[in-house]
Amino acid sequence: MPVEIVEVGPRDGLQNEKALLPTSVKVAYLQRAVDAGLRRIEAAAFVHPARVPQMADAEAVLAAAPRPAGVVYTALVLNLRGMHRAAACDLAEINYVVVASDEFSQRNQGMTTAQSLAQWEQVCAAARSAGMRATLTIAAAFGCPYTGEVSPDHVAQLLAQAAPADEICLADTIGVGVPSQVEVLAQIARSAQPQASLRAHFHNTRNTGYANAVAAAANGITALDASLGGIGGCPFAPAATGNIATEDLAYLLNRSGQATGVDVTAAAQTGVWIADQLGITAPAQLGRAGHFPG
Amino acid sequence: MPVEIVEVGPRDGLQNEKALLPTSVKVAYLQRAVDAGLRRIEAAAFVHPARVPQMADAEAVLAAAPRPAGVVYTALVLNLRGMHRAAACDLAEINYVVVASDEFSQRNQGMTTAQSLAQWEQVCAAARSAGMRATLTIAAAFGCPYTGEVSPDHVAQLLAQAAPADEICLADTIGVGVPSQVEVLAQIARSAQPQASLRAHFHNTRNTGYANAVAAAANGITALDASLGGIGGCPFAPAATGNIATEDLAYLLNRSGQATGVDVTAAAQTGVWIADQLGITAPAQLGRAGHFPG
């Protein structure tokens, strides 16, 4: 089954970075992503600018985003206000987040998981009324930085309670997951919400991210979040580090015969470029090691 | 099937590092590896000291190595002279290397692959006469830094020509491999040398190393090389970077229910310690991110 890489660098990649980028650089990042073959891009978060200053210009970024045929944009929203901002920006879909533990949910969104699930029902309905797909991310599904293990049964209960999504994204927000968890959670998500396609979101915090991505592809998960450069993190999760890198993931999948449509060399150059813009060293490795065969 | 981690930091981890460590630090590294639960350790290379200065004190390191019950040492040898040096050091086994491409073989060992295979037959016989297991690594089995792709058929031919080994180690010396290659090469090795157990050796140069390790374990490969700290590289392979890290691999396997016997916390502390000794930042991530659950 083909695997689609969802480029989340413009959202999850940037939101934790101290260096605030000008809107023009964010638009150039989108252009480079499109040029490298990415076709589904999480371009922004519609959240409170005081909480995540990097996302304050979300509307301006999307207004200037390149819009060639076949490219769709999604954005993170955490409430109805964010959903309505998103609906004004010509997006194909929105992505809402329910955090799998109450403690982390309180810190991330200021509400319990139950409150967040109730709000998801409203956001989901409003998104559909606005003609957008509504995708649901279960954050910290593989473990919580505050309360430790998150049981698969708990994730199953959340998904059973959640309004039906167009897509369920299983997120290892803090990079603690391993392939055996991917297999279990994929089965749970498919069982709880059979109408939904499946997506996964991995951070490479403990070097398990790419192995998890391979496990996801082998277990019916058809979309994988990744960020050009492997930049990223969560402002409200301690010691969270980068997303798996688009270029390294595309190298792995392309070379395994699972064509992603991503031009790995262009993606690697963009990974180096965005890291330069941020004044950091990209966690992605392909930009340093080079493609193979050269 | 259980997977055994073979600690190769004292050999492959150190051989490419510019900072020459005192013998006492190398012995302390072995002690820390043993204390962290490693039971099979590639402790040195018996090669020409002018070519690999870090390995000049191989005999002294092994003379002082901790020898609790259950711990076995192996060492890299590239010719009969190295084999005889190893035989004097109370080793359980030796590991000989045949490089899968002639060009790389010439640069690494100053001989063609065919010459190297002929020499393996002599080394293998001599090792057995000295009461040691003889393991054979096929280096650059996943790709060559000089000539590009290495076909699985070529690896199959080499293994068919090679004297029967006690173990075949499939090595991705330059970190270009992907899981689909692991599956193919494991089948080839099993078919060509059915008497041998299988081992694999991965570098994380392009972030595929841990996914390859998971694929290896799923395809009947029962031993995986790794280095504490994820240090390492090859002196004669351009842009080669570290081995997969013992602590990160053990975290992944232990958390997946494949107990390795490795104390991940002790291993992570040693990864940080050896990087400090070398004046580098360890590629391993667990020492920075911390164990989960904490």
Side-chain angles (χ1 to χ4, degrees):
Chain A
M1 200 181 302
V3 177
E4 174 183 47
I5 297 182
V6 182
E7 174 58 44
V8 299
R11 198 278 300 173
D12 200 19
L14 294 183
Q15 68 176 15
N16 202 34
E17 291 294 334
K18 288 193 182 68
L20 295 186
L21 298 184
T23 305
S24 61
V25 173
K26 294 177 188 174
V27 174
Y29 190 24
L30 295 179
Q31 183 68 56
R32 281 172 166 268
V34 169
D35 291 346
L38 280 311
R39 289 295 170 265
R40 189 175 172 205
I41 303 174
E42 193 162 298
F46 291 98
V47 292
H48 199 295
R51 293 268 288 171
V52 187
Q54 187 76 271
M55 295 292 121
D57 61 350
E59 279 87 353
V61 169
L62 278 159
R67 303 271 188 176
V71 170
V72 295
Y73 290 104
T74 181
L76 182 79
V77 306
L78 293 178
N79 51 37
L80 273 175
R81 175 167 164 71
M83 204 294 302
H84 291 304
R85 286 176 63 196
C89 289
D90 191 15
L91 297 174
E93 49 184 279
I94 54 90
N95 182 33
Y96 182 86
V97 175
V98 169
V99 183
S101 86
D102 271 328
E103 176 72 19
F104 194 2
S105 181
Q106 287 283 8
R107 296 195 189 217
N108 197 61
Q109 279 145 270
M111 61 179 70
T112 64
T113 298
Q115 290 169 323
S116 180
L117 277 171
Q119 193 172 263
W120 155 245
E121 191 166 350
Q122 298 177 305
V123 168
C124 182
R128 297 237 177 83
S129 295
M132 295 187 288
R133 292 177 81 219
T135 71
L136 175 62
T137 290
I138 305 295
F142 296 75
C144 169
Y146 305 108
T147 56
E149 297 288 3
V150 171
S151 83
D153 286 348
H154 181 63
V155 175
Q157 285 165 16
L158 292 181
L159 288 172
Q161 291 162 23
D166 292 308
E167 182 179 68
I168 299 289
C169 178
L170 298 163
D172 184 14
T173 310
I174 57 168
V176 299
V178 294
S180 58
Q181 290 182 283
V182 176
E183 186 176 348
V184 169
L185 289 173
Q187 288 167 349
I188 281 172
R190 195 162 25 243
S191 173
Q193 298 231 357
Q195 82 294 338
S197 59
L198 298 184
R199 172 178 169 189
H201 177 101
F202 298 117
H203 287 256
N204 199 38
T205 316
R206 287 165 185 82
N207 259 330
T208 63
Y210 298 88
N212 290 341
V214 171
N219 284 280
I221 293 176
T222 53
L224 290 169
D225 287 359
S227 75
L228 286 157
I231 61 173
C234 172
F236 309 107
T241 55
N243 295 89
I244 57 173
T246 302
E247 56 267 52
D248 294 359
L249 178 63
Y251 171 81
L252 191 164
L253 292 173
N254 288 359
R255 191 163 166 77
S256 298
Q258 294 182 282
T260 60
V262 173
D263 175 336
V264 170
T265 300
Q269 288 167 348
T270 297
V272 172
W273 174 85
I274 190 65
D276 283 348
Q277 301 298 316
L278 293 165
I280 62 173
T281 299
Q285 299 211 37
L286 214 74
R288 285 190 291 280
H291 195 261
F292 181 86
Chain B
M1 199 180 304
V3 177
E4 174 183 47
I5 297 182
V6 182
E7 174 58 42
V8 299
R11 197 278 300 172
D12 200 19
L14 294 183
Q15 69 177 11
N16 201 33
E17 291 293 334
K18 288 193 182 69
L20 295 185
L21 298 184
T23 304
S24 60
V25 172
K26 295 178 188 173
V27 173
Y29 190 25
L30 295 178
Q31 183 68 57
R32 282 171 166 267
V34 168
D35 291 347
L38 280 311
R39 289 294 171 265
R40 188 176 172 203
I41 304 173
E42 193 161 298
F46 290 98
V47 292
H48 198 294
R51 293 269 287 171
V52 188
Q54 187 76 272
M55 294 292 124
D57 59 350
E59 279 86 352
V61 169
L62 278 159
R67 302 272 188 174
V71 170
V72 296
Y73 290 105
T74 181
L76 182 79
V77 306
L78 294 179
N79 52 36
L80 273 176
R81 175 167 163 71
M83 204 295 302
H84 290 304
R85 286 175 63 195
C89 289
D90 192 16
L91 296 174
E93 50 184 278
I94 54 90
N95 182 32
Y96 182 87
V97 174
V98 169
V99 182
S101 84
D102 270 328
E103 176 72 19
F104 194 2
S105 181
Q106 287 283 8
R107 297 196 189 216
N108 198 60
Q109 278 145 272
M111 61 180 71
T112 65
T113 298
Q115 289 169 324
S116 181
L117 277 171
Q119 193 172 262
W120 155 245
E121 190 166 351
Q122 297 177 305
V123 168
C124 183
R128 298 240 176 81
S129 295
M132 295 187 288
R133 292 176 80 221
T135 72
L136 175 62
T137 290
I138 306 296
F142 296 75
C144 169
Y146 304 107
T147 56
E149 297 288 4
V150 171
S151 83
D153 286 347
H154 181 62
V155 175
Q157 286 165 14
L158 292 181
L159 287 172
Q161 291 161 24
D166 292 307
E167 183 179 67
I168 299 289
C169 178
L170 298 162
D172 184 14
T173 310
I174 58 169
V176 297
V178 294
S180 59
Q181 290 182 284
V182 176
E183 187 176 348
V184 168
L185 290 172
Q187 288 167 349
I188 281 172
R190 195 163 23 245
S191 172
Q193 298 233 357
Q195 81 294 338
S197 59
L198 298 184
R199 173 178 170 189
H201 177 102
F202 298 117
H203 287 255
N204 198 38
T205 315
R206 287 165 184 82
N207 260 330
T208 63
Y210 299 89
N212 290 342
V214 171
N219 283 281
I221 292 176
T222 53
L224 290 169
D225 288 357
S227 75
L228 287 157
I231 62 173
C234 172
F236 308 107
T241 56
N243 296 89
I244 56 173
T246 302
E247 55 268 51
D248 294 359
L249 178 62
Y251 172 82
L252 191 165
L253 293 173
N254 288 358
R255 191 162 166 78
S256 297
Q258 295 181 282
T260 60
V262 173
D263 176 338
V264 170
T265 301
Q269 288 166 349
T270 296
V272 172
W273 173 86
I274 191 65
D276 283 348
Q277 301 297 316
L278 292 165
I280 62 172
T281 299
Q285 299 211 36
L286 215 74
R288 284 190 292 280
H291 194 259
F292 180 85

